[in-house]
Amino acid sequence: MPAFPLAAFLAGLPWVALALGLLLAVTFAVAVRQSRHSVIDTVWGLGFVVAAAVSWLLSAGHGDAGRRLLLLALVAVWGVRLAVHIGVRARGGHEDPRYVDMLSSAPGSRNTYALRRVYLPQGLVMFFVSLTIQVGMFSTGPLGWLALLGVLLWIIGFVFETVGDWQLARFKADPARRGTVLDTGLWRYTRHPNYFGDAAVWAGLFLVAADSWPGVLTVLSPALMIWTLAGKTGKPLTEKAMSARPGYKEYVESTSGFLPWPPRRRAGR
């Protein structure tokens, strides 16, 4: 197995950073024009697609062709699906309440504050998390059993995320269910099937990259994504917003917080 092309990989890092910077610059310009910085949520998944595409181009002639194509396909399917879902959900809407709360306390210009508190951090996270993909693109070893396990985990995660989002969209579209709690389908087994699915997708991508040295060294990249989803901005903020909804306390008591698990029997049943 040829050695990892470290020089070529390092030479490609600035190009990925530049591509992400250009994407966020365009997003910022659109957000300012629309007075709606939540448009960056739509671009979140696309940022990883951009990083994967640039890495795929730069790794030509260096990394294993099968792994390069596999990583590009998996990231593209996940990122485009997520972007379309969020874009459709937010179409014609107003600023997301999370951004309203954050920017209402902005000292000085809201746009400058958003650039510093939203765009810069998200750009850095995109670049760091995508290191798993970037390293995997340049890895020279052929695909093995760990990569196959990663694809299976990716499929599980993608199904959870996609079906969970679809079930939630149908639930919200029914006026009769307004103000109630979704506790059927995948939401019966985890309070956050979409976030769990997202975490499983990135764990799977890591396994595909870790199948060949030095992909295993990028373990902190998916770890950051999973920590963000489960412990920082995903699950905690969603549950904070839902905490006052009737029936949510009982739902929390009976349903797994993140990993899918059979529901516990509710008191009185």
Side-chain angles (χ1 to χ4, degrees), residues 159-170:
V159 168
F160 262 84
E161 185 174 7
T162 303
V163 174
D165 282 339
W166 174 71
Q167 290 175 341
L168 182 60
R170 288 187 61 199

Side-chain angles (χ1 to χ4, degrees), residues 3 12 18 31 49 57 92 95 117 148 157 173 222 227 236 244 248:
L18 177 61
V49 178
L57 291 172
E95 182 71 282
R117 292 293 303 274
L148 176 60
W227 173 75
Y248 193 72

Side-chain angles (χ1 to χ4, degrees), residues 52-235:
V54 173
S55 298
W56 181 78
L57 291 172
L58 295 173
S59 62
H62 298 288
D64 177 72
R67 178 175 287 99
R68 291 172 59 240
L69 186 59
L70 178 61
L71 286 171
L72 178 63
L74 295 180
V75 175
V77 170
W78 170 80
V80 171
R81 200 285 317 176
L82 183 61
V84 170
H85 169 72
I86 296 177
V88 170
R89 185 181 66 188
R91 185 173 53 191
H94 302 288
E95 182 71 282
D96 188 294
R98 295 172 301 159
Y99 290 91
V100 172
D101 292 342
M102 179 191 303
L103 299 178
S104 62
S105 59
S109 169
R110 292 175 73 254
N111 292 330
T112 302
Y113 187 74
L115 189 63
R116 187 174 71 251
R117 292 293 303 274
V118 178
Y119 294 83
L120 179 58
Q122 288 208 22
L124 292 174
V125 170
M126 280 182 190
F127 181 81
F128 184 79
V129 172
S130 70
L131 284 174
T132 287
I133 309 303
Q134 297 179 58
V135 171
M137 289 286 188
F138 281 88
S139 296
T140 56
L143 294 170
W145 67 268
L146 193 61
L148 176 60
L149 182 60
V151 172
L152 292 176
L153 185 56
W154 183 95
I155 291 173
I156 292 172
F158 187 75
V159 168
F160 262 84
E161 185 174 7
T162 303
V163 174
D165 282 339
W166 174 71
Q167 290 175 341
L168 182 60
R170 288 187 61 199
F171 179 82
K172 288 183 175 180
D174 186 352
R177 297 180 174 180
R178 186 165 300 165
T180 62
V181 176
L182 174 58
D183 60 359
T184 58
L186 294 180
W187 299 81
R188 173 178 170 82
Y189 302 99
T190 167
R191 302 200 295 272
H192 304 280
N194 46 359
Y195 293 149
F196 163 76
D198 212 347
V201 160
W202 279 94
L205 290 171
F206 166 70
L207 292 182
V208 174
D211 190 49
S212 179
W213 181 263
V216 68
L217 298 180
T218 66
V219 64
L220 292 181
S221 296
L224 174 60
M225 175 69 91
I226 294 170
W227 173 75
T228 300
L229 292 167
K232 183 64 175 176
T233 60
K235 177 178 180 287

Side-chain angles (χ1 to χ4, degrees), residues 31-32 34-40 90-96 119:
V32 171
Q34 296 184 358
S35 298
R36 188 161 63 97
H37 286 289
S38 54
V39 296
I40 193 174
R91 185 173 53 191
H94 302 288
E95 182 71 282
D96 188 294
Y119 294 83

